[in-house]
Amino acid sequence: MATGLNNLKIYQLAKDLELKIHRITKNFPPEEKYRSVDQLNRSSAAVANNIAEAYNKRSTKEKIHILRDVAISEAEETESNISRCGDKGFLPKEEAEKIARDCIETKKAIYGYIRFLRSTTKTSKLED
């Protein structure tokens, strides 16, 4: 079984999302550099960064807190911002919708990982 942060599906999804955002924001209007571009790049990077932070926490409670309260919130922020950028015409509406769906898939995967962490915690407590 593969182990390590880079083999974690949620981390891969988050990294892919961050790279997509980075690529598309290069084509945004120059006046959006310190508004939409900066906000989207920071929130999408925060998803992957917080997954990495959670991955190395010792307690399951800490991992879940970071994943649920920070990583998912950043993915939600990214989804909201990319949708509004599509509405504003900074990128084709279809492309904005596709990336918003990627955000949703990333959030679903994070919730799934949280369920996995909770189930393994319950299992290990039963074994003790």
Side-chain angles (χ1 to χ4, degrees), residues 96-120:
E97 290 169 357
K98 163 80 173 82
I99 295 171
R101 285 191 302 273
D102 292 343
C103 292
I104 292 167
E105 289 305 310
T106 302
K107 289 185 293 182
K108 285 179 181 180
I110 296 169
Y111 278 121
Y113 187 59
I114 290 169
R115 282 191 301 277
F116 168 76
L117 290 172
R118 285 184 175 143
S119 72
T120 57

Side-chain angles (χ1 to χ4, degrees), residues 10-28:
I10 59 171
Y11 185 68
Q12 292 170 355
L13 289 170
K15 277 186 3 180
D16 290 347
L17 176 65
E18 179 183 358
L19 293 173
K20 284 178 190 174
I21 294 290
H22 178 73
R23 279 192 295 274
I24 61 116
T25 56
K26 286 182 175 188
N27 299 319
F28 279 27

